[in-house]
Amino acid sequence: MNQHAIQNLTLFDLLARSWRRPSAVADLRFSADGSTVAFTCVDGTVAIAAVADQEAPESRIRVSGDLGQTTIRPREKLPAPLIATAVLGEGDVPLASYHQSGFLVGTAPGEAVHLTADGNVMEALVKIDGPIVAIDHSPRTAMTAVSNGQDIFLSRGQGDASRLRHGPTLSTDALAFSSDGRRLACGRENGLSIRVVDGDAAPIRELSFPARPVSIRWSGDGTWLACGLEAGGFALVSAVDGRTDIVAGFPSPVRTLCWSLPENALFASGAFRIAGWSMTAPPLDGDTSGALETGRAGLVPVETVAAHPEKKLIAAGYANGRITIAQIGARDELLVRPLGSAVTALAWSGDGRHLAVGGVDGAAAIVTFPAQMFK
C-alpha cells in the first residue's frame, strides 16, 4: 500500500473489522458479557462475531521519535469469518441478549430459542402459537416476554409461558422490560400498556398515542419511557405519574432512541442533527429549555443513535452512511466514516471500547477504539 493510499484511509478503515451479509442488517446486540455481537438480517438469519480483536489498535499505534506524531498502521489480516445461522424467520427475527455470551431469538414456528456464541441453536425457552415478532429478556428476574403480534406471553422459566390477559386492542410488536425486570412495557395498536410482572401481570397504566409504537426504551432508573412512533415523532412517558407528551417535528420517522446515563439525557434519530434533551428539563408541554445542541446540522437525516455507557458521547449513523461520535451538548464531532450505505443499527459494548454497526447493504462491523481515544 503506497503512502497516498494510507493517507486516504478513514478512521473506519483503520479501526473496523467488517463483513458483508447477503441482505440488510436489521438489528444487533452485544452479549451480556461483551464477548460476542449478533447481527440479525432481513433474510431471517443471524450472524455472530467475536468481539476480541486479534489486531487491537494499541498494537498498531506508532509514535515517531522526532516529531512525536501518532499514527496507526492498517490491519494486515482479514477478520475471522462470521458464524451464520440457517433461516429462522420470515424477515428479520427479534433478538435479545441471554445468559452471558448467548442470545434469544424469536422464530417463525413460535419458538424462542437459545442461540449460543458459537452459533448453535439450542433448546426452545418458550413455545407459542404463531411466529414470534417481539422478544425481551430480563437477566435480573430471568423472565422472558414474547409476542406473536396479538398476544403476549410471559415465561418465568423453561416451558411455562403464560398468556397475559388484555383487552381486544393489544396487537403488539414492541416489548421492553425495565432495568430491574419488574415492569414490562407493551406496545398497543395506538398506545402503550405498562404492567407489573409480579402476580398476574395486570396493567398499571394504559396510554394512548396518535400512532403505533415501533420501539420502546426505558431510562436506566426506570422513571421514563421513550417510544418511537411509526409516524409523528416519539412519545415520552413518565412511569411515575403517567404524564405523556408527543415530541413531534421530525422530518423522518424516529427509528431509534437511547438514554445517556452519564448525562441523564435522551437522544433520538429522525432529525438532520443529533436531537437530545437533558432530563433535568424534559421535553414535555413544549418545553425546549433542556435541548442539547449536539453535533453538526446537515442535509441528511440521522437514522440511528447510541449513547456511550460511560462517557458523555453519542454515536450517530446517517442515511448516507456517515458515522460520527459527538460530545453531548457540543458541536465537536469525531468523523468515523464519511460515506457508505445507510446505517441501520448501532450499539456500544458495555465497556465502551467497541461500536457495532449494521448497514442496509448487509455490512456488519465492529469498530474497536484505542483506550486513549476517549479520555
Side-chain angles (χ1 to χ4, degrees):
M1 183 177 292
N2 60 43
Q3 186 64 32
H4 179 72
I6 291 175
Q7 290 175 348
N8 287 337
L9 290 175
T10 68
L11 199 59
F12 188 86
D13 296 325
L14 292 170
L15 300 181
R17 286 164 285 155
S18 298
W19 303 266
R20 183 60 59 86
R21 300 295 300 142
S23 64
V25 173
D27 199 4
L28 60 87
R29 290 286 188 282
F30 278 90
S31 61
D33 64 4
S35 64
T36 54
V37 181
F39 301 87
T40 66
C41 299
V42 299
D43 63 1
T45 64
V46 181
I48 297 176
V51 171
D53 192 348
Q54 300 308 311
E55 289 187 274
E58 288 82 1
S59 69
R60 296 181 284 119
I61 289 176
R62 297 290 182 269
V63 180
S64 62
D66 50 351
L67 299 176
Q69 185 177 11
T70 300
T71 59
I72 182 168
R73 64 172 174 79
R75 296 178 182 275
E76 297 178 348
K77 302 174 183 177
L78 292 173
L82 295 173
I83 299 171
T85 68
V87 173
L88 298 173
E90 297 179 3
D92 58 289
V93 292
L95 178 72
S97 300
Y98 182 62
H99 285 175
Q100 291 301 304
S101 60
F103 305 90
L104 280 180
V105 180
T107 68
E111 293 183 337
V113 297
H114 175 199
L115 182 64
T116 65
D118 55 7
N120 288 320
V121 177
M122 306 299 285
E123 76 283 354
L125 192 70
V126 179
K127 178 72 171 73
I128 64 172
D129 294 330
I132 292 177
V133 300
I135 191 169
D136 199 18
H137 177 76
S138 169
R140 294 286 295 272
T141 59
M143 288 186 182
T144 301
V146 299
S147 169
N148 59 10
Q150 297 298 322
D151 292 302
I152 298 170
F153 300 81
L154 193 63
S155 173
R156 293 174 171 84
Q158 190 166 334
D160 69 340
S162 57
R163 181 187 281 106
L164 301 187
R165 295 197 303 271
H166 61 81
T169 60
L170 191 60
S171 183
T172 184
D173 55 7
L175 296 170
F177 281 106
S178 58
S179 58
D180 62 6
R182 297 179 59 196
R183 289 165 294 170
L184 176 67
C186 315
R188 297 189 291 118
E189 184 62 33
N190 286 302
L192 186 74
S193 174
I194 304 174
R195 297 166 177 258
V196 174
V197 297
D198 297 332
D200 62 359
I204 57 173
R205 294 199 187 280
E206 299 281 1
L207 305 163
S208 295
F209 302 151
R212 182 175 66 94
V214 294
S215 63
I216 303 170
R217 297 290 181 269
W218 288 85
S219 62
D221 61 5
T223 59
W224 294 94
L225 295 98
C227 305
L229 302 179
E230 199 168 37
F234 70 91
L236 182 62
V237 179
S238 168
V240 177
D241 58 17
R243 284 184 302 159
T244 303
D245 201 5
I246 304 300
V247 182
F250 288 82
S252 294
V254 179
R255 294 183 57 250
T256 61
L257 298 131
C258 65
W259 297 91
S260 169
L261 292 179
E263 189 66 13
N264 184 27
L266 169 65
F267 292 86
S269 66
F272 291 119
R273 70 178 315 147
I274 301 170
W277 300 265
S278 169
M279 295 308 289
T280 58
L284 295 170
D285 303 321
D287 185 359
T288 60
S289 62
L292 296 168
E293 189 172 304
T294 300
R296 300 177 184 275
L299 301 175
V300 179
V302 175
E303 287 292 306
T304 182
V305 287
H308 194 283
E310 298 176 348
K311 301 184 182 298
K312 297 178 181 181
L313 300 171
I314 294 291
Y318 290 75
N320 65 351
R322 178 183 176 93
I323 300 171
T324 63
I325 298 173
Q327 183 96 19
I328 292 175
R331 296 188 64 196
D332 294 340
E333 288 183 338
L334 175 69
L335 180 61
V336 178
R337 188 176 73 179
L339 290 170
S341 72
V343 181
T344 55
L346 284 177
W348 289 96
S349 60
D351 60 4
R353 288 290 313 281
H354 311 275
L355 180 68
V357 182
V360 74
D361 64 346
I366 303 173
V367 187
T368 299
F369 295 97
Q372 61 268 40
M373 179 162 283
F374 304 127
K375 295 181 180 179

